Amino acid sequence: MVKKIVLTENEIPEKWYNIQADMPNPSLPPLHPGTKQPIGPEDLAPLFPMELIKQEVSQERWIDIPEEVRDVYKIWRPTPLFRASNFEKLLGTDCKIYYKYEGTSPSGSHKPNTAVPQAYYNKMEGVKRITTETGAGQWGSALSFACQHFGIECEVYMVKISYEQKPYRKLLMNTWGSKVYPSPTNLTEAGKKVLAANPDSPGSLGIAISEAVERAAMDPDTKYSLGSVLNHVLMHQTIVGQEAILQMEKAGDFPDIVIAPFGGGSNFAGLSFPFLQYKINEGKNIRCIASEPASCPKLTKGQFRYDFGDTVGLTPLLPMYTLGHNFVPAPLHAGGLRYHGAGVLVSQLLKDKLIEAEAVQQLDSFDAGVKFAKAEGILPAPEANHGIASVVNAVNQAKEEGVSKTILFNLCGHGHFDMSAYEAYYAGKLTNHFLSDEELTANLKELEDIPVE
Amino acid sequence: MVKKIVLTENEIPEKWYNIQADMPNPSLPPLHPGTKQPIGPEDLAPLFPMELIKQEVSQERWIDIPEEVRDVYKIWRPTPLFRASNFEKLLGTDCKIYYKYEGTSPSGSHKPNTAVPQAYYNKMEGVKRITTETGAGQWGSALSFACQHFGIECEVYMVKISYEQKPYRKLLMNTWGSKVYPSPTNLTEAGKKVLAANPDSPGSLGIAISEAVERAAMDPDTKYSLGSVLNHVLMHQTIVGQEAILQMEKAGDFPDIVIAPFGGGSNFAGLSFPFLQYKINEGKNIRCIASEPASCPKLTKGQFRYDFGDTVGLTPLLPMYTLGHNFVPAPLHAGGLRYHGAGVLVSQLLKDKLIEAEAVQQLDSFDAGVKFAKAEGILPAPEANHGIASVVNAVNQAKEEGVSKTILFNLCGHGHFDMSAYEAYYAGKLTNHFLSDEELTANLKELEDIPVE
């Protein structure tokens, strides 16, 4: 049996796949946070280079990957695709399980797939500095690596509680030359506002986004970069699924079920969008399942409506499944999944029932992840563990139905910088979290002034 | 320019290369620690399975890799070979630099290359439990992974100071089901002896080896496993160099200089021995340079003579370059290089001037490693940084001589579990260490009762 399917660097895809060209219903336009009217490219120009703004709204099915970006991709791409044969044995299943492993990148996750082109397009348009936010640090370290490569300064607003709990992620960013600030800071009006209300604020992704966006908006030499949610970010990640299609072909197989963890959407979109082509255009029967934490269940419990991308309300209003931009998720160890909203494209696809979503409890995710590590030898990131728990669910369902399925999931990163999470898990200190209906209702009530659709 | 040269899993070598078949002068035999007479297989049988004892003394050039071992190798092998094009640019050199990257393995270094076959042969001979020592934890986690795979219990004696400083390596071993003890312990006579003399002993590799060996010798169901030094261990690592030869061929190139870090010899032997074939048998002009820490300079300052492999004197006497088995190296951050002796085969080859050695200072090693991380995106293990510093030296020498060289080095592992070392380096808390002639002389004087040759 083939265990690992590798590609040569010549097989790195030459184009990103833009699912906007194939969606039966286009997504609604983003709205200006002040006027609440649809925004144009000029509204985004202070924050993003023009090439990324074009990609954000492009209806072209295929977008060329610049040669300079493919050259950097070669440092870790193509990534391997594995048959999880030992995990299958451990689960005692007839299902065939494959996983695409993105943990071989410099920062250890799929994030550099978009960090590199974002840094490249900024460089091409003369940008000197990029600001961004990061939670657990996966995104911040990916962007630090990319900026270092292209000679751009990088300023990272790191959620304060993560800054304190994960000093090694910060050191990694420093190694690649970034400045890292614990957010909320006194460097921005947004940060000052939060600190005035709560000097001990542990921070949140929404607050950190507000700070990074404000800094970029103030300075013409500085732009902002986001690691998920936006259309162009999701598109850059489709290199993952495209490679996986090639590799599944080499394995002589094709998935019935595609699973990936869900934070803002880029992880899930990266693997699933290229497969969704076959579902949308050829009617192929593929289930694509987004696996989100039960403590932050925007896809399974959130409302589809316009909402801000950040806490303070500086970003455009986006049409998405949301728990409300003031929602602060429980202190989950999968920091990359603690975001209140879902990417616009994924939200529209869920609304149109082309994809599915499933909420996973924290303890189930670690249980699945540790089993996987024992069997396959790779210690997964806590985010990835959510996807693995959904694989276990899919296997159990197949068993109940007496069928055998071919399952492909995205092992989006390793857990080498998340050992404190495993430490807490082994010590019995992790708990499950549910979002109560009361809390959800209260959060959504705060959105009353914002148009629903 | 090709950046990354990958192989398919069919190209994983089918045999290990045994350099004993090609050495112009065979190494001297190991001696019994009591009788000081050459030992036979039966003397080693309490500690090792017979198949490994056979490999230890085999004169066959090629030894078959069992299919079951190759199947596990497929989890991470073949490993990629990279052209360090960005590092070349940063150094401003005409030299071509390549590196073999072993950090993609489950435990993040080259160590599983021998852990897997060692666990396999033990399993085949009905062994229930394996004991071992570990310093920084690279070896302990590799053996834990391998034992978990084959269903063998694993008991790791971890140098106490590392046990306390690197809790995440311990957690990784626990994930793979191992029991990990901070050495010295009260579980062994050797440990009790050390603790009686010094209750606060921080431990050392030599002490931990004594404990692991004693435990294995006590129990017929338990064997002992060593991560470097021994002939069979070095041979298992030759899979690294064999793959590199294939990959250099695909790149249309061949190295003038081969460099690897040096602790006990397996890292260096793994990459260099397959290339040494061409030097020994075909007279090809290849320099193979072992890069050792200046604080533990057995190859550059040690004496070639018989010495024990452990501190207490339980192991056979081995003919090797040594600093004396009571030598306790400075608290260097490259824990994997803090060993008093050099593997027998490497020692003989150095004596015969077929290889070279170079001592590297700790600060130079981190300086080189951080430059490498900035350029190539991979954060190296502190052990690997020593090799990178030697690459920088080779580049500088080529520049002085006005020549261009092709250099290949072993990037033996990533530094994800060594971030405290980088933290100390950035904070200016690391220092250089020299071994004084007085200390060396005093240590070697203690060997007076042991035969020299």
Side-chain angles (χ1 to χ4, degrees):
Chain A
M1 185 199 297
V2 176
K3 176 78 191 163
K4 179 166 75 165
I5 300 129
V6 294
L7 302 173
T8 66
E9 63 183 36
N10 297 326
E11 292 172 291
I12 294 176
E14 295 181 357
K15 295 169 194 297
W16 292 299
Y17 169 60
N18 180 11
I19 201 167
Q20 294 188 69
D22 289 327
M23 285 167 68
N25 297 308
S27 52
L28 299 172
L31 305 181
H32 191 281
T35 66
K36 315 249 160 58
Q37 294 302 309
I39 56 171
E42 68 285 358
D43 293 305
L44 293 172
L47 293 187
F48 302 104
M50 200 42 72
E51 194 58 37
L52 291 177
I53 296 172
K54 279 188 203 158
Q55 290 182 2
E56 188 66 15
V57 297
S58 171
Q59 299 296 311
E60 294 294 319
R61 182 171 288 111
W62 300 101
I63 308 271
D64 285 337
I65 304 176
E67 204 50 43
E68 293 86 343
V69 170
R70 289 183 80 237
D71 273 349
V72 188
Y73 277 170
K74 288 174 188 172
I75 292 178
W76 75 98
R77 305 213 69 85
T79 60
L81 182 128
F82 290 92
R83 175 80 182 266
S85 45
N86 298 317
F87 192 46
E88 290 171 18
K89 266 184 226 150
L90 186 150
L91 295 177
T93 179
D94 293 334
C95 291
K96 288 188 276 183
I97 305 175
Y98 294 87
Y99 59 99
K100 180 75 170 160
Y101 183 42
E102 290 290 304
T104 59
S105 82
S107 59
S109 80
H110 62 296
K111 292 291 185 189
N113 296 330
T114 183
V116 171
Q118 288 196 49
Y120 168 76
Y121 290 119
N122 274 286
K123 181 71 178 180
M124 287 300 102
E125 299 187 22
V127 173
K128 300 265 189 306
R129 189 179 305 104
I130 298 179
T131 63
T132 198
E133 73 291 332
T134 199
Q138 285 280 16
W139 168 242
S141 48
L143 190 66
S144 300
F145 158 70
C147 285
Q148 163 82 37
H149 183 86
F150 289 110
I152 302 176
E153 288 176 36
C154 184
E155 205 174 281
V156 181
Y157 292 82
M158 186 171 187
V159 176
K160 192 188 276 170
I161 188 158
S162 295
Y163 182 94
E164 285 161 1
Q165 286 177 347
K166 303 206 168 178
Y168 293 161
R169 272 279 169 202
K170 179 183 52 176
L171 275 176
L172 195 57
M173 294 184 245
N174 292 152
T175 299
W176 288 319
S178 285
K179 284 184 194 147
V180 187
Y181 302 108
S183 166
T185 73
N186 272 312
L187 300 170
T188 66
E189 294 308 314
K192 285 178 195 164
K193 195 172 145 191
V194 173
L195 288 171
N198 177 11
D200 298 326
S201 166
S204 76
L205 265 180
I207 296 167
I209 294 175
S210 297
E211 292 207 273
V213 165
E214 184 186 321
R215 287 285 281 187
M218 281 176 350
D219 177 357
D221 285 338
T222 303
K223 301 277 183 200
Y224 166 72
S225 172
L226 189 65
S228 189
V229 179
L230 298 179
N231 301 350
H232 65 273
V233 180
L234 273 53
M235 185 187 73
H236 296 156
Q237 293 291 353
T238 59
I239 194 157
V240 176
Q242 290 186 68
E243 284 181 9
I245 287 172
L246 271 180
Q247 288 163 311
M248 291 297 292
E249 268 174 24
K250 282 182 203 262
D253 222 331
F254 196 85
D256 300 305
I257 304 174
V258 173
I259 292 173
F262 194 90
S266 79
N267 189 331
F268 173 75
L271 184 63
S272 69
F273 281 8
F275 285 96
L276 275 172
Q277 280 179 89
Y278 298 94
K279 182 168 180 140
I280 299 174
N281 298 335
E282 299 176 17
K284 224 168 165 152
N285 188 16
I286 312 167
R287 292 179 63 197
C288 294
I289 305 173
S291 180
E292 65 179 5
S295 58
C296 192
K298 52 230 160 198
L299 294 177
T300 52
K301 292 190 90 172
Q303 187 180 353
F304 182 86
R305 56 161 302 144
Y306 275 106
D307 195 3
F308 292 110
D310 70 327
T311 301
V312 174
L314 299 177
T315 71
L317 289 160
L318 300 174
M320 58 184 184
Y321 281 92
T322 180
L323 300 167
H325 61 272
N326 284 316
F327 174 64
V328 178
L332 187 72
H333 262 287
L337 308 183
R338 294 179 71 236
Y339 185 68
H340 66 276
V344 169
L345 297 177
V346 175
S347 292
Q348 186 65 46
L349 290 165
L350 181 64
K351 191 160 178 272
D352 291 340
K353 299 189 167 36
L354 283 163
I355 61 169
E356 303 169 47
E358 173 171 295
V360 166
Q361 278 295 356
Q362 177 158 263
L363 292 179
D364 292 338
S365 77
F366 274 89
D367 180 63
V370 169
K371 281 199 180 102
F372 181 85
K374 282 185 194 298
E376 296 291 321
I378 299 171
L379 189 82
E383 289 81 3
N385 286 346
H386 286 75
I388 300 172
S390 287
V391 170
V392 174
N393 292 344
V395 161
N396 290 339
Q397 195 189 337
K399 197 175 186 181
E400 276 170 30
E401 295 172 1
V403 294
S404 166
K405 296 287 183 184
T406 298
I407 303 168
L408 168 66
F409 76 96
N410 200 15
L411 187 63
C412 56
H414 61 63
H416 301 170
F417 292 95
D418 306 286
M419 294 305 289
S420 58
Y422 282 90
E423 195 169 27
Y425 174 65
Y426 291 139
K429 289 181 184 161
L430 292 194
T431 51
N432 285 335
H433 295 283
F434 297 87
L435 173 64
S436 71
D437 291 342
E438 293 71 32
E439 191 183 351
L440 177 61
T441 307
N443 267 300
L444 292 174
K445 203 165 167 5
E446 293 177 16
L447 308 184
E448 274 177 354
D449 293 343
I450 301 171
V452 174
E453 294 205 13
Chain B
M1 185 200 296
V2 176
K3 176 77 192 163
K4 180 166 74 165
I5 300 128
V6 293
L7 303 173
T8 65
E9 63 182 38
N10 297 327
E11 292 171 291
I12 294 176
E14 294 180 357
K15 294 167 194 297
W16 292 299
Y17 168 61
N18 179 13
I19 201 167
Q20 294 188 69
D22 289 325
M23 286 169 69
N25 298 308
S27 52
L28 300 172
L31 305 182
H32 191 282
T35 66
K36 314 250 161 56
Q37 295 302 308
I39 56 172
E42 68 287 358
D43 293 305
L44 293 172
L47 292 186
F48 303 103
M50 200 41 72
E51 193 58 37
L52 291 176
I53 296 171
K54 279 189 203 158
Q55 291 182 3
E56 188 67 15
V57 296
S58 170
Q59 300 295 311
E60 294 294 319
R61 182 171 287 110
W62 299 102
I63 307 269
D64 285 337
I65 304 176
E67 204 48 44
E68 293 87 342
V69 170
R70 288 183 79 239
D71 273 349
V72 189
Y73 277 170
K74 287 175 189 172
I75 292 179
W76 76 98
R77 304 211 71 84
T79 60
L81 182 127
F82 289 92
R83 174 79 183 267
S85 45
N86 298 318
F87 191 47
E88 291 171 18
K89 267 184 225 151
L90 186 150
L91 296 176
T93 180
D94 292 335
C95 291
K96 287 186 276 184
I97 305 175
Y98 294 87
Y99 59 98
K100 181 75 168 158
Y101 184 42
E102 290 289 305
T104 58
S105 82
S107 59
S109 81
H110 62 296
K111 291 291 184 190
N113 296 330
T114 183
V116 171
Q118 288 195 51
Y120 168 76
Y121 290 119
N122 274 287
K123 181 70 180 179
M124 287 301 100
E125 299 187 21
V127 174
K128 301 265 188 308
R129 188 180 304 102
I130 298 180
T131 63
T132 198
E133 73 290 332
T134 199
Q138 285 281 15
W139 167 243
S141 49
L143 190 66
S144 299
F145 158 71
C147 285
Q148 162 82 35
H149 183 85
F150 289 110
I152 302 176
E153 286 177 38
C154 183
E155 204 174 281
V156 181
Y157 291 82
M158 185 171 188
V159 176
K160 192 189 275 171
I161 188 158
S162 295
Y163 182 94
E164 285 161 2
Q165 287 176 349
K166 302 204 170 180
Y168 293 161
R169 272 279 170 205
K170 181 184 47 176
L171 275 176
L172 195 57
M173 294 184 246
N174 293 150
T175 299
W176 288 320
S178 286
K179 284 186 194 146
V180 187
Y181 301 107
S183 165
T185 72
N186 271 313
L187 299 170
T188 65
E189 294 309 314
K192 284 179 196 165
K193 193 171 148 191
V194 173
L195 288 171
N198 177 12
D200 297 327
S201 167
S204 76
L205 266 180
I207 297 166
I209 292 176
S210 297
E211 292 207 272
V213 166
E214 184 186 321
R215 286 285 280 186
M218 282 176 350
D219 177 358
D221 284 338
T222 302
K223 302 277 182 198
Y224 166 72
S225 171
L226 190 63
S228 190
V229 178
L230 298 179
N231 301 350
H232 66 273
V233 180
L234 273 53
M235 185 188 73
H236 297 156
Q237 292 291 352
T238 60
I239 194 157
V240 176
Q242 290 186 67
E243 284 182 9
I245 287 172
L246 271 180
Q247 288 164 311
M248 290 299 291
E249 267 174 23
K250 281 182 203 263
D253 222 332
F254 196 85
D256 301 306
I257 305 173
V258 174
I259 292 172
F262 194 89
S266 79
N267 189 332
F268 173 75
L271 185 63
S272 70
F273 281 8
F275 285 97
L276 276 172
Q277 281 179 89
Y278 297 94
K279 182 167 181 145
I280 298 174
N281 298 336
E282 300 176 17
K284 226 171 164 152
N285 187 16
I286 312 167
R287 293 179 62 199
C288 293
I289 305 174
S291 182
E292 66 179 5
S295 58
C296 192
K298 52 229 161 199
L299 295 177
T300 53
K301 293 189 90 172
Q303 189 181 352
F304 182 86
R305 57 161 301 142
Y306 275 106
D307 196 3
F308 292 110
D310 69 327
T311 300
V312 174
L314 299 178
T315 72
L317 288 160
L318 300 174
M320 58 183 182
Y321 281 92
T322 179
L323 301 167
H325 62 271
N326 283 317
F327 174 64
V328 178
L332 186 73
H333 262 288
L337 309 184
R338 294 179 70 236
Y339 184 69
H340 67 275
V344 168
L345 297 177
V346 175
S347 292
Q348 186 64 44
L349 290 164
L350 181 65
K351 189 160 180 273
D352 292 340
K353 297 190 170 34
L354 283 163
I355 61 167
E356 303 168 48
E358 173 172 294
V360 167
Q361 278 294 355
Q362 177 158 263
L363 292 179
D364 292 337
S365 77
F366 274 91
D367 180 62
V370 169
K371 281 199 180 100
F372 181 84
K374 281 184 195 296
E376 295 291 322
I378 299 171
L379 190 83
E383 289 82 2
N385 287 345
H386 286 76
I388 301 173
S390 287
V391 170
V392 173
N393 292 343
V395 160
N396 289 339
Q397 194 190 338
K399 197 174 185 182
E400 276 169 30
E401 295 171 0
V403 294
S404 166
K405 296 287 183 185
T406 298
I407 303 168
L408 168 66
F409 76 96
N410 201 14
L411 187 63
C412 56
H414 62 64
H416 300 170
F417 292 94
D418 306 285
M419 296 304 291
S420 59
Y422 282 91
E423 193 170 28
Y425 174 65
Y426 291 138
K429 288 181 185 162
L430 293 193
T431 52
N432 286 335
H433 296 283
F434 297 88
L435 173 64
S436 72
D437 290 342
E438 293 71 32
E439 189 183 350
L440 177 61
T441 307
N443 267 302
L444 292 175
K445 204 165 167 359
E446 294 177 16
L447 308 185
E448 273 176 356
D449 293 343
I450 300 171
V452 174
E453 293 204 15

